[in-house]
Amino acid sequence: MYLQIVIATGLRQEFTYLAPDNAQGQNLPKIGLRVRVPFGRSERVGLIVGLSETTQIELSKLKPITELLDETPLLPSELWQLGLWAADYYQHPLGDALMHLLPAKLRQPLPNHLIQLNWHIADVEANFGKAKKQQAIWQKLQQLAPEFNLSQLQAIGIKPSQLKPFLDKEWLTTSYPKPQMVTLQLAQKGLELNLEQSKIVEHLVTAQGAFSCNLLNGVTGSGKTEVYFHAIAHQLEVGKRTLLLVPEIGLTPQLLQRLEQRFNNRVLALHSDLTEHQRLNAWQQAGLGQADIIIGTRSALFTPIPELGLIIIDEEHDQAYKQQEGFRYHGRDLAIKRAADANIPILLGSATPSLESLANVQRGRFSQWLLTQRAGQASSQSYEVVDLRNQPQQAGISEQLQAMVQIQLELGHQVLLMLNRRGFAPSLQCQSCGTAAQCPACDANMTLHRSPPRLHCHHCEHQQVVHLYCPHCQSNQLKPLGQGTERTEEQLTSLFPNTPVHRIDRDTTRKKGSLKGMLEQVHGGDPCILVGTQMLAKGHHFPNVTLAAILDADASLFSSDFRGPEKLAQLLVQTAGRAGRAKIPGTAVIQTYQADHPTINILVSQGYNAFAEQELASRQQSGLPPVGHMALFHAQAKDATQAFALLHWLGQQVQNPELQPLTKALLMFGPMPAFMARRAHYYRAQLQLQHPNRNQLQQLLKKLCQLLDQHPAARKMRWSLDIDPQELG
Ligand code: ADP
Ligand code: ZN
Ligand code: ZN
């Protein structure tokens, strides 16, 4: 028998191996099993994707696999299918895609069965003869009788490998713990739903067991989370599990807390703080049905979950759902595919839905459910646009805004100021010759940081000491230019000396638990100023915040990315949504030099949905996503001409008359330099393809990848393909 095996090599290729000689019974190769195989001069872990009786390859060239690592496939068939589908859709090498679905530990030749296994001790008359060591271990094991698991074993200082002799003699037998039944165990009664909330919850009750895609479009604070909880409760009632995806668990410890307060059920959180070992453990627990509610970030989408009844995606518009490197899948889109395959409903929630989802509502593929009011006793929030032209400013804060902040603080409220730039200042400029401190590896300025003092490139993480003299003209007149959160914090502290200022950005929250600590202080409710990056805009519920201001709306107004206005609108509305979430009404302030900008105007006067409708109409005209479809080839090389040459060649292939049936309606741009033409010493070029027909584009991309795979220059270079790119850089 010949085995078709894929390995995470980055190659779009399957490898043929021979089955082991002793292949029979438990040892029979099956599709989906992991294997250890000789590969070049080393060994690799692979997955069996096919079995055949014949092969084209000369027998002398084939090697047998070293070992079968599993007895049964690790991935349940629905995830295996999802992996195959995703590899095909995103044109990602199958070995890399399938391996990506496994926890990192299982991409190594680690036997899978240990962790969740239960060992049972048989009641036998043990006779050891001279084997004194074995006898000692056996006696030690008796204290765990009649059965034990891995952690109990480790607690008494015995390794699983030491159990082998007893397993061989069948004095020990093993089993997997049985999945436990799912039942609803409420710790706290849910809130009485309002009419809009009940409608969607009722729909999900009746939609049980059939695929439907539901967009919960609800203004900030309208009770989307409450809807999720009611929907989850219903799943538990009927014995089903729920997968809840969130953009970043670390940013919203509150959601997890609320979930655990509401349910006494087993909640499993898959977040980025887990060690690889914990992740493996959690993955296996989920697969064995030992959790009822699974909450996690993007990759949690690949968690095996028996009796999955519902998938929920919170903040579905969030960029974090798109993996931006390697296997560039979109978590939301794959979750929809998973729900469709499993025949279950999926619920996408947001106050600022992506244009993709809104377009799907227009096309009739998604049902939309609106929550138009803030829930419960929460009041609403109103907008105020502060025109920065001809206004004195301090710390990047206009006098008008300063006065508003002062009033709120005096009333005992809290204030939130968002500035989407961390560090002290975005650049350090020489006053004599005008040169700004540049990253040696990138086409970018380095950011000045104060604590600790350094110049830091946010694109390649290059760091260096702050120079005292200009490297170009030796002048010592160096000046920080612009505002970062660190600088704003410093200036706010002197403007409002009696008020605590909490800065929340990647730098202050790097340490485990530090964000949680700061959030707890804010929840204490005393007057304070929160200053930070877009981390502040994400889903937090700050009841005492009555003023939320965006200090630098202009930074994103003139983005060269066609999604610029959409991203800006989402950020503005999400930030604004942090104000007025309790009984006191809130104000959202937008500071801008572009007070008449159409995006700002329509958001302020008519709200996000009106903006989105207009934006969607303009995408319609230009054929841009989500109306048309897009793919982006990237190439990077240390030599600037190489990356361009490769994409230039690719562009020529696209124009091959044979491909005409697929390229008639195609728009091609480039090759052109990426927005940042050089990053981390690599020159970056891109080729952008836009097509009204997804199917034709997919066929074309497949052909182009095949051509690239055969092109000698492509093998020496890093190139990648981003399908449905979220960023054009
Ligand atoms: P969202 O997720 O849309 O931002 P939440 O679910 O966090 O909104 O709800 C915002 C606030 O409103 C919370 O304090 C929540 O307890 C409250 N709330 C939600 N639904 C209701 C309801 N039906 N009745 C009373 N209060 C509600
Ligand atoms: Zn200079
Ligand atoms: Zn750099």
Side-chain angles (χ1 to χ4, degrees), residues 439-444 446 457-462 676 679-680:
C439 173
C442 306
D443 286 347
M446 282 190 288
C457 172
H458 290 175
H459 306 285
C460 72
E461 305 301 333
H462 170 81
M676 193 177 298
R679 190 163 88 190

Side-chain angles (χ1 to χ4, degrees), residues 149-160:
N149 60 26
L150 182 65
S151 54
Q152 289 168 308
L153 185 68
Q154 284 166 337
I156 60 167
I158 298 178
K159 291 199 197 92

Side-chain angles (χ1 to χ4, degrees), residues 336-379:
I336 293 171
K337 174 73 179 140
R338 182 171 181 180
D341 289 349
N343 253 320
I344 58 172
I346 181 167
L347 180 63
L348 313 178
S350 177
T352 52
S354 62
L355 292 194
E356 274 74 10
S357 294
L358 290 170
N360 277 323
V361 170
Q362 281 190 358
R363 292 177 189 131
R365 290 190 196 149
F366 292 7
S367 317
Q368 176 167 239
W369 307 85
L370 295 173
L371 302 182
T372 51
Q373 303 295 322
R374 285 212 161 164
Q377 303 200 302
S379 43

Side-chain angles (χ1 to χ4, degrees), residues 551-577:
L551 301 184
D552 64 338
D554 295 354
S556 16
L557 268 183
F558 299 103
S559 158
S560 43
D561 190 329
F562 73 90
R563 281 184 226 271
E566 179 186 353
K567 288 181 190 166
L568 172 66
Q570 288 164 345
L571 189 61
L572 291 183
V573 174
Q574 293 289 348
T575 308

